Amino acid sequence: MSVTSESCVQNFDPWLSHPVRIAGITREIPGVCTLNLQFEDSRLASTWSFRPGQFTMLYVPGAGEAAISISGDPGVSSVITQTIRDAGNVTRSITGLGEGAVIGLRGPFGSCWPVEMCRGRDVVLIAGGIGLAPLRPVILQLLRQRDQDQELTLIVGAREPSLLLYPDQYDAWRRQGLNVIQTVDRADDSWTGGIGVVTAVLDRIGLRNAAETVVMTCGPEVMMTYAIKTALSRGIPRELLFLSMERNMNCAVALCGHCQFGPHFLCREGPVFSYRHLRPLMRIDDL
Ligand SMILES: Cc1cc2nc3c(=O)[nH]c(=O)nc-3n(C[C@H](O)[C@H](O)[C@H](O)COP(=O)(O)OP(=O)(O)OC[C@H]3O[C@@H](n4cnc5c(N)ncnc54)[C@H](O)[C@@H]3O)c2cc1C
């Protein structure tokens, strides 16, 4: 049985790393940049596609590979957008590259956010830090397919205002109908948003029909655990709760076992899971 709501069938050679050129770089916040990548092979450029929630393996010769979520618009196939935090050897090598550099890309891999399930339902997205990156394709797709009477809310948190990802995009999303609520742990003098954790926001926002509201969350695991507890306490059913899990990942094809989470390989059955399926495992410490 699928552990997510929507299947994302693979139909390509998962081992083949394709050359992609860095066509654009946006420095987002300290240590984080967004790359626009273009396939060198024009045939691939016109056929490649992904679903929100999926990731690729980016390869830098001499440094290695890293799993990176796709953060761009699923409606735009000519460019692959990925947001990368400089965390170690591979990611530092990638973020240190300039426009025109060529790296390798395998994928897309993994499961997807339940975008189809959102039709006719209100949606709350909860992101912490760089966890907003894998949710951005959902935001872009939901805004495109939104019904007039559908409520879409994004609760996004960061340690401080300067660490809120995609700072120049919130106003545009608001204009398109997304209710964006920003919250930080520590404010500065210019801050006009909320202060406190994302779960406190979730606890007090108005929900028109909790039993028919879809929640998707991505960020530090402890944040997601509390977000889910709060969502359940608000009456949102566990079938409508989804989260994206992260573990150190190596092969992306369910062979190496690095990303095993109980009986699941996060690279194949995840990273997006329905909470209904993950619930028994999330109670086990340090799994
Ligand atoms: C499905 C998936 C999607 C991801 N999406 C993104 C993304 O969009 N943007 C982004 O910047 N990063 C993302 N990551 C995390 C990214 O893969 C790791 O930060 C990267 O592999 C680190 O590689 P490195 O060689 O740069 O650092 P390393 O030197 O390998 O690691 C640096 C430190 O981070 C730890 N680490 C490595 N991978 C993980 C992990 N997955 N979870 C927790 N700790 C880890 C290592 O143990 C080490 O302590 C994602 C990971 C997964 C599994």
Side-chain angles (χ1 to χ4, degrees):
M1 191 205 298
S2 166
V3 289
T4 61
S5 65
E6 288 169 28
S7 74
C8 299
V9 180
Q10 275 183 204
N11 187 20
F12 57 88
D13 181 349
W15 293 111
L16 204 56
S17 195
H18 300 281
V20 286
R21 187 172 295 276
I22 301 177
I25 304 174
T26 307
R27 304 279 163 199
E28 303 281 2
I29 54 173
V32 178
C33 69
T34 296
L35 303 184
N36 284 337
L37 303 170
Q38 279 175 338
F39 282 109
E40 293 280 79
D41 176 344
S42 58
R43 193 184 47 85
L44 251 179
S46 59
T47 54
W48 197 88
S49 66
F50 75 98
R51 306 266 302 271
Q54 291 194 293
F55 67 96
T56 72
M57 296 299 289
L58 293 184
Y59 168 64
V60 183
E65 272 192 321
I68 302 293
S69 301
I70 305 162
S71 61
D73 188 341
V76 176
S77 55
S78 55
V79 59
I80 303 158
T81 301
Q82 307 205 252
T83 301
I84 302 168
R85 182 178 52 204
D86 166 355
N89 200 22
V90 178
T91 48
R92 188 164 308 134
S93 301
I94 299 173
T95 56
L97 293 170
E99 282 184 25
V102 174
I103 57 177
L105 179 150
R106 291 194 287 136
F109 297 108
S111 57
C112 330
W113 295 110
V115 179
E116 287 308 313
M117 183 186 267
C118 297
R119 289 190 191 274
R121 293 184 162 108
D122 290 345
V123 181
V124 180
L125 306 172
I126 306 163
I130 197 164
L132 182 55
L135 282 168
R136 192 164 75 137
V138 185
I139 295 172
L140 299 173
Q141 191 159 331
L142 288 180
L143 287 174
R144 218 180 357 252
Q145 72 180 38
R146 174 171 174 258
D147 304 333
Q148 276 311 312
D149 64 344
Q150 187 183 27
E151 266 186 18
L152 303 178
T153 302
L154 168 67
I155 305 172
V156 56
R159 272 180 285 136
E160 52 192 73
S162 65
L163 298 181
L164 277 165
L165 196 55
Y166 309 132
D168 56 343
Q169 308 207 1
Y170 300 112
D171 286 344
W173 291 345
R174 284 192 177 106
R175 282 195 297 275
Q176 292 171 70
L178 184 67
N179 174 26
V180 181
I181 305 172
Q182 296 161 311
T183 184
V184 297
D185 297 344
R186 286 185 305 276
D188 57 23
D189 291 345
S190 62
W191 181 242
T192 54
I195 300 174
V197 291
V198 290
T199 46
V201 178
L202 178 62
D203 208 19
R204 64 168 188 266
I205 58 168
L207 297 173
R208 296 187 302 180
N209 183 0
E212 284 296 333
T213 298
V214 179
V215 168
M216 302 180 219
T217 181
C218 187
E221 216 159 298
V222 62
M223 181 216 86
M224 295 197 291
T225 304
Y226 281 100
I228 282 165
K229 268 190 190 162
T230 309
L232 291 168
S233 75
R234 298 286 320 261
I236 297 171
R238 63 176 77 119
E239 294 74 26
L240 298 186
L241 298 177
F242 295 85
L243 65 160
S244 185
M245 296 292 292
E246 207 182 296
R247 287 289 181 278
N248 218 331
M249 217 170 254
N250 248 10
C251 72
V253 292
L255 276 181
C256 74
H258 274 77
C259 68
Q260 199 162 353
F261 187 69
H264 306 301
F265 288 97
L266 294 193
C267 63
R268 185 178 58 194
E269 284 112 51
V272 177
F273 287 90
S274 144
Y275 175 64
R276 187 162 61 100
H277 289 100
L278 233 46
R279 187 170 154 249
L281 299 173
M282 289 190 74
R283 292 183 176 152
I284 304 170
D285 286 341
D286 299 324
L287 186 63

